[in-house]
Amino acid sequence: MPSQVDTAKITPTLLAIAQRENAAVLAKSLTIDNLNGGGDRIIEIDDIFTPAVTNGVAVPVPTTVERFKYTANQGDQITLGEVELKGVRCLGAMSVISDVDDTSCFISLGYEHEE
Amino acid sequence: MLELQPKPQFSVVVPPKLLQEGYLVTFSSDWPSTHVAIREKTFRIDVCNQVPYDLPYIIPTGDYRDVDFSNGAGTFQESIYPENLTSLFEVLVGFKPGNFLTHWYIPAGKSIHALEYAQMYPDLTSTKKKYLGARQPKDSPYNDPRIKLYFVKDLAPLIMRVFVLPGVDYENCITGLTINKCKLREIESPTDEQKLKAKVIRYYDYLRW
């Protein structure tokens, strides 16, 4: 299971798992280290993709679907495992974002591609 | 304690899923005259080459995409058909799990799985008849595909309509193909034994009567 770590950011930078067109991405673990963060942080897992051309939509546009949201209180460190993240499945790129940039709040994401 | 395992009385041989080199194929007499190059002829397969190919489509709920296997530059065309008269493409189709189903048409608009009573054909606008003739991912899993197609040059377009069922916002409908490219060599005067051994490939119309 690969993993990535970054500080909390409003826009996804490192914590953006690239889309693999022929496999969904499953979130397996999410650790939010907000022990020294500057405040409560709302952390989201977003699914970013452009749908296929269909008979109903001739010109699809890039789409973001929110798949998971969690509030990490200031001073807390929380690890969410497979049980808590069950069903969090991204069809496109999986990205983790925060409501506020915070260089003291660390986020680690474990993920797998669905075979 | 000593136990002697008895010798098995028989063994089960599982035949290969795909056509192999040296196999014989015959195209039946129900192929139309537009396919005169293969109609009522027997061929030996000289060379095989299996080409895997995944077709992923992210489709919103309640919407569908007509996947056209024929050749061309159209938006929905996937260009899976052969271009040579001496090629036969045997295609295995499997699906990764997902909240979708497929309907099959050849040529476009003509369902393979209509029943005989009036209006008993697949209809995506009907809550019941969208399941009529539908092939779902569990019917042909990605790792154990059970849908098999045979393509020759200039075959009418085969359409796979991929429809996302309600209950999800979007679904990534992943179709895994294994395209077994077979190079054919005609047997001018096949013996009765060769005719008997050959796999018969019929024209699609035999599915509708």
Side-chain angles (χ1 to χ4, degrees):
Chain A
M1 179 179 74
S3 66
Q4 289 193 13
V5 63
D6 198 3
T7 56
K9 288 191 174 72
I10 297 173
T11 51
T13 50
L14 184 64
L15 275 184
I17 313 306
Q19 176 173 9
R20 205 172 95 188
E21 289 77 7
N22 69 346
V25 192
L26 304 173
K28 291 289 180 178
S29 73
L30 182 67
T31 300
I32 306 164
D33 176 357
N34 198 21
L35 286 170
N36 301 308
D40 295 351
R41 298 288 171 249
I42 299 171
I43 307 299
E44 247 179 57
I45 296 179
D46 285 349
D47 186 1
I48 303 169
F49 56 85
T50 301
V53 175
T54 62
N55 292 62
V57 183
V59 186
V61 294
T63 303
T64 299
V65 180
E66 194 181 297
R67 301 288 183 198
F68 184 81
K69 188 178 254 185
Y70 187 84
T71 301
N73 293 327
Q74 188 179 24
D76 275 1
Q77 178 178 310
I78 182 80
T79 296
L80 305 168
E82 285 191 53
V83 175
E84 294 81 8
L85 296 169
K86 191 171 183 178
V88 180
R89 177 175 177 263
C90 290
L91 307 177
M94 175 181 279
S95 87
V96 181
I97 61 165
S98 168
D99 59 333
V100 177
D101 283 336
D102 189 339
T103 53
S104 300
C105 176
F106 300 98
I107 305 169
S108 304
L109 172 72
Y111 62 94
E112 268 180 14
H113 286 95
E114 194 176 50
E115 292 302 332
Chain B
M1 179 152 162
L2 182 70
E3 192 177 274
L4 182 64
Q5 291 288 326
K7 195 176 173 186
Q9 289 186 318
F10 62 89
S11 57
V12 177
V13 178
V14 180
K17 259 191 171 181
L18 295 166
L19 292 170
Q20 310 283 305
E21 286 175 19
Y23 278 29
L24 303 172
V25 292
T26 290
F27 293 86
S28 61
S29 58
D30 51 8
W31 284 79
S33 56
T34 47
H35 292 280
V36 70
I38 56 168
R39 183 174 184 260
E40 282 190 287
K41 289 181 179 172
T42 301
F43 298 85
R44 183 184 299 281
I45 295 171
D46 269 353
V47 187
C48 282
N49 183 11
Q50 291 85 38
V51 183
Y53 188 27
D54 282 354
L55 300 174
Y57 310 103
I58 297 178
I59 299 174
T61 186
D63 200 354
Y64 65 89
R65 178 179 170 112
D66 281 341
V67 180
D68 181 345
F69 288 91
S70 69
N71 296 350
T75 305
F76 298 115
Q77 284 182 303
E78 296 295 350
S79 303
I80 309 290
Y81 280 21
E83 284 288 289
N84 295 307
L85 287 170
T86 55
S87 292
L88 168 69
F89 287 2
E90 180 186 44
V91 182
L92 283 174
V93 182
F95 305 107
K96 287 197 176 179
N99 192 47
F100 66 97
L101 51 76
T102 59
H103 287 293
W104 295 78
Y105 301 86
I106 184 166
K110 211 165 173 191
S111 173
I112 294 172
H113 297 117
L115 297 181
E116 297 188 349
Y117 189 72
Q119 296 179 344
M120 284 304 283
Y121 49 81
D123 180 1
L124 294 177
T125 62
S126 162
T127 52
K128 280 171 71 183
K129 284 191 282 187
K130 67 180 159 198
Y131 297 105
L132 177 62
R135 298 285 187 243
Q136 300 181 45
K138 65 182 166 62
D139 298 325
S140 187
Y142 185 83
N143 292 320
D144 182 21
R146 292 173 197 166
I147 295 174
K148 202 183 269 189
L149 316 167
Y150 292 93
F151 295 148
V152 293
K153 181 176 162 55
D154 298 332
L155 184 70
L158 175 72
I159 309 293
M160 176 178 72
R161 180 165 291 176
V162 185
F163 175 73
V164 173
L165 293 162
V168 293
D169 43 13
Y170 292 86
E171 186 59 88
N172 193 1
C173 310
I174 300 166
T175 305
L177 306 181
T178 302
I179 304 153
N180 187 28
K181 289 174 64 186
C182 301
K183 188 172 187 218
L184 304 175
R185 181 165 51 86
E186 187 180 352
I187 300 173
E188 299 285 352
S189 307
T191 63
D192 287 346
E193 193 189 350
Q194 284 174 322
K195 283 182 188 170
L196 206 63
K197 278 185 179 171
K199 176 177 178 56
V200 179
I201 299 176
R202 303 182 66 182
Y203 194 56
Y204 60 79
D205 261 355
Y206 85 95
L207 292 167
R208 293 187 282 252
W209 65 88

